[in-house]
Amino acid sequence: MARVRLVDVVKQFGTTVAVNHINADIAEGEFITLLGPSGCGKTTTLRMVAGLIELTSGQILFDDQVVNNVPTHKRNIGLAFQSHALFPHMSVAKNIAFGLSVKGVDKKTIAGRVDEMLHMVNLEQYADRVPAQLSGGQQQRVALARMLATDPRVLLFDEPLSALDRNLRDQLKFAILDLQRRTKKTAIYVTHDQSEAFAISDRIFVMNGGRIEQAGSQLDIYLRPATEFVANFVGDNNALPATVTAISEGETRLAKVQVGQRVFEAFAPPGIAVGDQVMALARPENVEILGPNDPDTPDAMTGTVEQLVFEGPTVRLTALVDGQPILIASSGLERLELLNRQGMTIRFRFQDLSLVKT
């Protein structure tokens, strides 16, 4: 295991700044994910940690060792890519043994380590097969076993599941997490798939334009986005322009915000002050539909159902309030009761609002 630190890391390709003064501190044994759209700098960042791309400026440290000028093969890292890069003419066992053979490890030790890795990825019965005789998921397990066989300090994953179908991705992302937990290796994972990031990460680093927009737990990222980009990129949000009219300090910092003619209460992060122009954010699943017997409250709204889509576990509908579309997601038995409501009016309220500055 190793603590990995990125200190003011910059990477330029000519006049293009691909990574722009990134700082990150990843603890020993932590599993972090770099999440973001194409071109945000996440893969470039990973490849700098791997030593495949030189830094323009800044430092990368494994524990207290600056590794900027340490070549990839001497960093003791494990790499997993979208392509499994298995040797087609070698058996599964020989593929797993390859890295150990290159390091000059004796045959008895290699055999024991290969057996251990085959057991870890549940492929003991496939040891003598070649990659062409395996499914895509089995090939990815072989690639993971080969990566772990050399006992690397840091595991690096560059969208390793993106070429697989969704069902297989769902299975393998948990296999990767299980292997990381069992080996207690520090891991950095790159993906644009939010479900992968949320399923396996200790922390998520959302990247945009070469910068880290926000780093935090799944709850931090999803429920308390720090910027408009994070709010718009991660899941769906109702975003309402608002003005902060009051703030109450307490165990939870709350703000009163004016949205049109209505006043709502919202969670107020540090840096939000009275008079600020903000975006009030409400997740569709945090919009409560009110029944006919629910009391009318100042924060209740009435809207006309413009669109209704049945998605199996949920119904997603759009209600129009004073020209503003509000996206609502409903589950359980309530979703079935909503199926015939298109064109009708419904009452609802926001259960949870958060704020970001505009």
Side-chain angles (χ1 to χ4, degrees):
M1 291 191 298
R3 176 188 179 193
V4 178
R5 285 181 289 160
L6 284 71
V7 181
D8 207 25
V9 170
V10 175
K11 179 58 188 179
Q12 289 184 241
F13 296 99
T15 58
T16 301
V17 181
V19 174
N20 194 355
H21 297 280
I22 278 184
N23 290 278
D25 193 341
I26 303 159
E28 287 188 11
E30 188 176 20
F31 195 126
I32 72 103
T33 297
L34 303 179
L35 173 67
S38 297
C40 70
K42 57 188 185 295
T43 293
T44 300
T45 300
L46 186 88
R47 289 176 175 266
M48 286 191 288
V49 175
L52 299 172
I53 296 177
E54 291 184 3
L55 283 68
T56 301
S57 63
Q59 289 184 325
I60 294 176
L61 297 91
F62 289 2
D63 294 324
D64 294 325
Q65 178 192 12
V66 178
V67 297
N68 290 26
N69 298 316
V70 177
T72 299
H73 68 279
K74 293 186 177 180
R75 294 193 184 192
N76 193 16
I77 56 174
L79 289 166
F81 299 102
Q82 180 177 334
S83 169
H84 312 313
L86 300 176
F87 297 108
H89 60 287
M90 288 186 182
S91 68
V92 166
K94 288 182 178 178
N95 265 284
I96 295 171
F98 180 78
L100 295 167
S101 301
V102 170
K103 290 188 172 185
V105 178
D106 65 88
K107 291 183 178 180
K108 183 178 179 181
T109 301
I110 290 176
R113 186 66 172 163
V114 169
D115 287 344
E116 181 185 352
M117 292 298 101
L118 285 169
H119 177 72
M120 182 174 284
V121 297
N122 298 315
L123 289 176
E124 297 99 319
Q125 66 271 38
Y126 299 100
D128 296 324
R129 295 192 185 183
V130 295
Q133 297 173 310
L134 304 177
S135 68
Q138 289 167 339
Q139 290 180 31
Q140 186 60 267
R141 288 176 185 269
V142 175
L144 292 172
R146 183 179 61 184
M147 177 176 70
L148 290 167
T150 57
D151 194 25
R153 299 167 70 189
V154 180
L155 306 179
L156 303 175
F157 301 90
D158 188 7
E159 305 207 51
L161 307 181
S162 60
L164 305 175
D165 65 69
R166 175 157 292 279
N167 287 338
L168 194 50
R169 289 205 305 271
D170 287 343
Q171 294 173 30
L172 282 177
K173 68 187 178 187
F174 292 115
I176 288 172
L177 178 61
D178 179 60
L179 290 173
Q180 187 269 339
R181 292 291 189 254
R182 281 194 276 164
T183 58
K184 297 181 171 63
K185 303 288 186 183
T186 306
I188 303 174
Y189 192 99
V190 163
T191 186
H192 64 273
D193 187 313
Q194 296 175 25
S195 66
E196 281 182 29
F198 274 72
I200 62 180
S201 310
D202 293 315
R203 284 190 297 156
I204 298 170
F205 291 47
V206 181
M207 294 189 65
N208 178 41
R211 294 181 178 273
I212 295 174
E213 290 261 340
Q214 185 175 356
S217 69
Q218 292 91 330
L219 286 176
D220 294 333
I221 299 296
Y222 192 77
L223 294 180
R224 301 292 180 242
T227 68
E228 280 192 78
F229 172 81
V230 176
N232 292 326
F233 178 72
V234 178
D236 293 319
N237 250 316
N238 292 296
L240 309 172
T243 303
V244 179
T245 59
I247 291 180
S248 63
E249 301 287 352
E251 187 175 336
T252 302
R253 192 169 185 259
L254 297 175
K256 298 285 187 182
V257 294
Q258 183 89 32
V259 179
Q261 300 302 310
R262 293 183 174 86
V263 175
F264 299 104
E265 190 172 70
F267 170 79
I272 295 290
V274 173
D276 281 349
Q277 299 301 305
V278 296
M279 198 67 74
L281 305 167
R283 295 289 182 186
E285 64 273 21
N286 289 335
V287 181
E288 178 188 9
I289 296 175
L290 301 172
N293 297 322
D294 289 321
D296 206 13
T297 57
D299 61 349
M301 293 166 281
T302 300
T304 303
V305 178
E306 295 288 298
Q307 185 181 57
L308 193 151
V309 179
F310 180 68
E311 296 181 339
T314 61
V315 160
R316 297 174 70 84
L317 59 89
T318 303
L320 204 60
V321 181
D322 300 331
Q324 172 76 46
I326 303 296
L327 183 61
I328 304 170
S330 178
S331 59
L333 292 177
E334 182 183 64
R335 81 193 194 284
L336 302 179
E337 297 168 0
L338 291 169
L339 289 178
N340 62 348
R341 300 294 296 271
Q342 187 154 339
M344 301 176 69
T345 60
I346 59 170
R347 287 192 311 135
F348 55 88
R349 65 180 181 182
F350 300 129
Q351 291 182 309
D352 182 80
L353 279 172
S354 58
L355 307 176
V356 295
K357 275 189 175 182
T358 56

